[in-house]
Amino acid sequence: MRARLAVLAALIAVLAPAAPAQAATLEGLQLTGSVRPADRQALRGALASGRAAAQTLLRDAGAAADVRVRTHTEPRWVSVMRVRRGRVELSFSRTHLHGLGARGRNQTVWHEIGHVVDLLFVSPSADDAFRDAFTRSANWRSCYRFSGQCLDDDEIFAEQFAYWATGDRTSRSSYRIPALIGPESFGRIMAGEDTSAPWWVVRRR
């Protein structure tokens, strides 16, 4: 999860104010013109699948930073969170939104939201708590391989966040990372974080 620090420094330096109130929004996320009505409907369905605590985190993220959503057709099998020009951007593949079935779609959407939550709200101390909990799991592996490389901590966290958010603990992504801790354990660690502001302005515990 520490791999995000470089982009985080840039985000802190140039964090843009929230988009105007008249912009199309969905649960605090700013929707760009690329999001078609069918995409919006799919996103709404995915967000509705999240537990209340996850939905609160999503709204907090939209209040803390300019989080914008776009959709794309290529690359078909890539949805991504990135920081661009001081904004947090979620770009969802329409194949993921419309071609995976509801459960696959839901996990994909909440996985990418997990990256946003990790970036904005998970403090270094919580990073350590999550990693310690994950590594104690009987399902833990020191290397989860994808495309010939070991996945980093950011991806492991995002997968676990999606399991927690949706309550669906069956892996539906190509990463094939199993559920490592239960929802109560995940929720306890997450609840220790003050989500009223990004962690870089929250007093260290």
Side-chain angles (χ1 to χ4, degrees):
M1 283 171 252
R2 303 190 196 287
R4 70 181 187 272
L5 292 179
V7 294
L8 184 55
L11 179 62
I12 296 168
V14 293
L15 188 62
Q22 66 268 23
T25 62
L26 185 65
E27 295 297 334
L29 304 177
Q30 308 297 324
L31 304 181
T32 69
S34 67
V35 181
R36 307 173 307 174
D39 302 336
R40 184 175 181 137
Q41 182 178 1
L43 287 166
R44 189 182 300 279
L47 298 181
S49 74
R51 66 177 68 238
Q55 293 178 359
T56 297
L57 282 168
L58 177 60
R59 288 191 292 271
D60 289 345
D66 185 354
V67 183
R68 299 198 177 186
V69 175
R70 65 178 60 252
T71 60
H72 62 266
T73 56
E74 296 294 338
R76 293 182 61 205
W77 298 109
V78 175
S79 293
V80 65
M81 185 282 291
R82 56 195 167 196
V83 175
R84 302 179 68 183
R85 293 185 289 275
R87 297 185 178 96
V88 180
E89 180 181 281
L90 291 168
S91 188
F92 292 106
S93 164
R94 290 176 186 153
T95 299
H96 285 165
L97 292 180
H98 306 292
L100 294 181
R103 289 182 174 181
R105 175 202 67 193
N106 296 347
Q107 277 195 358
T108 297
V109 169
W110 283 103
H111 172 105
E112 299 306 331
I113 293 169
H115 284 305
V116 178
V117 169
D118 191 13
L119 175 70
L120 295 179
F121 296 136
V122 180
S123 68
S125 60
D127 277 348
D128 294 338
F130 276 118
R131 181 168 179 80
D132 182 59
F134 296 161
T135 57
R136 290 200 304 270
S137 170
N139 292 326
W140 171 254
R141 299 291 180 270
S142 59
C143 178
Y144 295 101
R145 287 196 172 275
F146 181 74
S147 296
Q149 295 184 324
C150 296
L151 292 167
D152 61 25
D153 287 353
D154 294 355
E155 299 299 339
I156 296 171
F157 175 85
E159 285 288 275
Q160 304 308 306
F161 184 88
Y163 293 145
W164 170 73
T166 64
D168 183 353
R169 292 165 56 80
T170 299
S171 176
R172 302 182 188 280
S173 81
S174 54
Y175 286 164
R176 299 300 183 213
I177 301 173
L180 298 174
I181 59 176
E184 290 186 6
S185 296
F186 192 100
R188 279 197 298 269
I189 299 173
M190 200 72 240
E193 296 304 294
D194 181 348
T195 61
S196 64
W199 66 255
W200 59 81
V201 297
V202 176
R203 180 176 58 81
R204 291 284 187 88
R205 289 176 171 81

